[in-house]
Amino acid sequence: MPLSRLAASYGVATSYSPSPGRTVPATDTAVIAALAALGVDASTPQAVRAALTAREAELAARPLPPTVVAWTDGPLPPPLAALPPGTRVRVEPEGGGEAVEWVAPAAGLTEGLPEALPVGVHVLRVRSRDPGPGTDPHPGNAPRPSTDGSGATAHLIVAPRRVKTPGRRTHGLLVQLYSLLSRHSWGMGDLGDLAELSAWSCRTLGTGFVQVNPLHAAVPSPPDGPGGDPSPYRPSSRRFPDPVHLRVEAVPEYAYLTGEARGRVDELCRRAGLLRDAVLRQGALIDRDAVWALKREALEVLLREVPLGPGRRAAYNAFLAELGTALEDHATWNALAETHGPDWHSWPAALRDPASPATARARREAMDRVDLHCRLAWLTDTQLATAQRTAREAGMDIGLVHDLAVGVHPGGADAWAQQRHFAPRMSVGAPPDAFNARGQDWGLPPWRPDRLAESGYAPYRALLRGLLRNAGALRIDHVMGLFRLWWVPEGREPTEGTYVHYDAEAMLAVLVLEAHRADALVIGEDLGTVEPGVRETLREHGVLGTSVLWFERDWEGTGRPLPADAWRADCVATATTHDLPPTAARLTGEHVQLRHDLGLLTRPLAQERAEAAADVHEWLGALSRLGMLPDGIGCEEDEIRAVHRFLLATPARMIGIWLPDAVGDRRPQNLPGTWDQYPNWRLPVADAAGHPVTLEDLAASPRLHALMAVFGERPRRGDGRGESARTAPPGAQPV
């Protein structure tokens, strides 16, 4: 069928399999819309035939794909191995250096690329015949995929096959930073709190890492409109961190404030204290917009009144030079958003193009605001660096684990600055499944796989490099998105979407390359429905998975809890996540009541309660039989400790402890399926009674120390066994 062939040539799926043995066709409407977002007209049968003819001719005439991947321990990439004899190949290394050349077939290169070629993203040029006299065979410096009948230019990604894995087994804390208030924060957790938590937990509890929520820059709220979206998973920019996380008093220039400026900032500090106390003592929700209003004014006073010293000015200038156009665009969007609102689609038409003369003029006119936002990005970057350095100096093997959201807000800075790389009128989501019959639409525009390949994955590389510069590891939310994403056409239901595939080899090569350069680990959130082969491919490249206790069962056998030694080793093992009930709520069944109260249950309350109780009872029985509940079932704190003893009995390389579990918090930070019915992303860490707990309280909590003492106990099982997190190996018996 022509439409299916055309779609396949662009990586657009015409069907998908929600479960083994079941195939669901995608609608023609979804396929045609996805192709349109890729610049292909498939609106009529005639258009399909014309597009297919053009596409097949293009692929046949192209000597190389836009991006070629080579692994340092692998053979010569197929596109290079298949070049006709006599083809001249030239590789110009990233960052300069002597070019490497050969003529196909190249003697001695059958096993792989020349050893002299370093890892990186290089310019690859091939030419099938010598150019005419006076012709420059290698014009320009930018590697644009192209052909002229005799040759082509492409990108060559050379990467190690694997990222590093933990040198030794380690455990650490998982926390949403905004929820971690201290006596010094301004109404929500900040980077000073993160540094304190890291240093204290390492030195006192022996932790090797602290994993936080995405710290990406949020979309600002309109001046006179409703509050901004508090979700850290729908940011304005993933490339730059949000200055709301700054600790104002830790900015070096703060110490030099005097006179009226000092008085003004002190007053803002006092008001921030009232905001903090309202959360901690009066049960108010975390109000990110209110916090930012106070911090923004204080930072504006500080940056206006205290000039940078020569050393600080030099460091700032170096930051500007390093980040270049990307930072300038980000700062420009923020400056324009202050005047025209936080959705660039509603701006004057001439300003919707970041490269237009009108935008350049507006940037010059607002240069003071552009510089302010550049300096805020710099200050946030320096405090992130301080937090990571503090963690490592305290003795953490890994330090900070940052989180990469799936996408960005369609009206935000990244979507404006990188329009060419985003698919128009499309949104990322998920198809219908057993948990959500209507599917999901996350409201995030997807990257175009073709434009990524044409650019050598430049925006993706810059994104990873920015996140990894101050991290010991990176968690990738919905890591399956490196392989394919569910595209939902604008105005359609999530059920009317289809999968669009990405070049997973290239996406992984860039990921491994940047993690290698940063000497960092990579963790993939691979929960839920996963395409066959994805977990195996990720493991091959050293990407750790995510395993949550309550989901680990022998699904292909008895369905009972999976034995500890049958869990996979290459994972972060946890009891819960930010999207799931805290362990105390699951043990008591309070999470079921919460969903009932919000009208989220699809079955009778009694049935849901009975099923949840049976699940917990089965797990607790298993823990008791293993001797992990020495005092028997019935004490909540003992049961939570037993859950973590079991995690320690698995071979998982990393064990994550959800920080609210340590003090008995019952409330999930996010309840999927709700919008304004539940205070998602606005709750402080609290104790079992719902009273907010400060960082200082956490450090002195007997309940927390009792839980963490489990990690000093002698393990009850051997380490390093087990391969699969889904099915027990032959001969293993469920616990």
Side-chain angles (χ1 to χ4, degrees), residues 304-321:
R304 182 177 64 246
E305 298 296 329
V306 183
L308 294 174
R312 293 272 289 164
R313 172 63 64 179
Y316 175 50
N317 289 340
F319 182 78
L320 292 174

Side-chain angles (χ1 to χ4, degrees), residues 133-479:
T135 301
D136 180 1
H138 313 298
N141 295 317
R144 296 193 307 272
S146 61
T147 67
D148 60 6
S150 62
T153 302
H155 306 267
L156 175 64
I157 302 173
V158 180
R161 187 168 295 276
R162 292 176 56 86
V163 297
K164 75 171 190 177
T165 51
R168 58 178 178 175
R169 197 177 199 206
T170 187
H171 65 277
L173 302 176
L174 317 178
V175 63
Q176 302 281 289
L177 180 57
Y178 59 82
S179 72
L180 181 70
L181 281 73
S182 73
R183 295 171 189 165
H184 302 289
S185 49
W186 285 35
M188 61 180 282
D190 61 33
L191 293 172
D193 297 322
L194 179 58
E196 287 283 348
L197 176 69
S198 301
W200 164 75
S201 68
C202 179
R203 291 192 168 103
T204 305
L205 309 175
T207 58
F209 65 92
V210 172
Q211 178 181 303
V212 294
N213 56 284
L215 303 182
H216 309 320
V219 175
S221 59
D224 302 316
D229 185 351
S231 172
Y233 289 93
R234 201 165 181 249
S236 170
S237 173
R238 297 187 294 175
R239 177 65 182 81
F240 295 97
D242 197 315
V244 75
H245 300 112
L246 282 169
R247 174 163 288 184
V248 175
E249 298 90 333
V251 176
E253 286 70 35
Y254 174 84
Y256 301 103
L257 281 169
T258 59
E260 185 178 341
R262 165 63 71 178
R264 181 56 188 157
V265 173
D266 286 348
E267 169 59 17
L268 292 167
C269 287
R270 185 191 69 80
R271 289 166 56 188
L274 297 176
L275 199 62
R276 178 184 64 241
D277 290 345
V279 175
L280 295 176
R281 296 191 175 91
Q282 300 166 31
L285 297 175
I286 292 170
D287 188 340
R288 179 193 173 282
D289 292 333
V291 172
W292 177 232
L294 295 175
K295 284 191 178 183
R296 181 183 61 219
E297 185 176 350
L299 289 163
E300 287 179 355
V301 171
L302 192 158
L303 298 182
R304 182 177 64 246
E305 298 296 329
V306 183
L308 294 174
R312 293 272 289 164
R313 172 63 64 179
Y316 175 50
N317 289 340
F319 182 78
L320 292 174
E322 179 185 1
L323 279 298
T325 301
L327 176 59
E328 185 177 72
D329 285 344
H330 176 72
T332 299
W333 182 91
N334 278 279
L336 294 177
E338 293 174 345
T339 301
H340 302 289
D343 185 349
W344 62 270
H345 296 93
S346 65
W347 294 358
L351 298 181
R352 296 173 198 166
D353 179 0
S356 73
T359 299
R361 185 165 54 253
R363 180 185 294 117
R364 289 192 298 271
E365 293 170 353
M367 188 50 67
D368 60 331
R369 303 303 297 176
V370 173
D371 183 63
L372 169 72
H373 290 289
C374 285
R375 287 184 67 180
L376 291 176
W378 171 58
L379 292 174
T380 312
D381 181 77
T382 59
Q383 289 197 9
L384 276 168
T386 298
Q388 171 64 359
R389 184 171 61 253
T390 299
R392 295 302 299 272
E393 289 176 351
M396 281 190 168
D397 293 335
I398 298 170
L400 304 184
V401 180
H402 289 300
D403 199 353
L404 172 61
V406 176
V408 296
H409 193 287
D414 283 1
W416 175 74
Q418 301 172 17
Q419 291 173 52
R420 188 174 180 279
H421 289 92
F422 285 99
R425 296 177 295 281
M426 284 287 166
S427 176
V428 173
D433 57 27
F435 301 99
N436 195 325
R438 298 181 59 187
Q440 300 176 59
D441 183 346
W442 301 331
L444 310 169
W447 266 334
R448 286 182 54 163
D450 57 334
R451 294 280 172 81
L452 283 178
E454 289 170 8
S455 70
Y457 296 81
Y460 178 48
R461 284 188 278 138
L463 169 61
L464 294 174
R465 193 168 300 179
L467 288 168
L468 288 165
R469 63 190 282 132
N470 299 311
L474 179 65
R475 174 192 181 269
I476 301 179
D477 194 44
H478 192 69
V479 72

Side-chain angles (χ1 to χ4, degrees), residues 470-551:
N470 299 311
L474 179 65
R475 174 192 181 269
I476 301 179
D477 194 44
H478 192 69
V479 72
M480 297 80 79
L482 300 181
F483 296 76
R484 64 178 185 177
L485 285 171
W486 183 256
W487 286 20
V488 181
E490 184 178 61
R492 297 285 182 171
E493 293 295 321
T495 53
E496 299 177 72
T498 189
Y499 276 113
V500 175
H501 291 264
Y502 293 76
D503 184 342
E505 184 179 42
M507 298 288 279
L508 285 167
V510 172
L511 176 62
V512 173
L513 172 64
E514 294 301 335
H516 168 75
R517 286 170 159 167
D519 192 32
L521 310 174
V522 178
I523 302 160
E525 185 271 295
D526 57 351
L527 302 173
T529 302
V530 183
E531 190 179 12
V534 167
R535 288 193 176 98
E536 292 77 8
T537 300
L538 292 171
R539 185 172 63 221
E540 176 189 349
H541 292 288
V543 177
L544 303 177
T546 302
S547 293
V548 178
L549 179 132
W550 308 100
F551 301 156

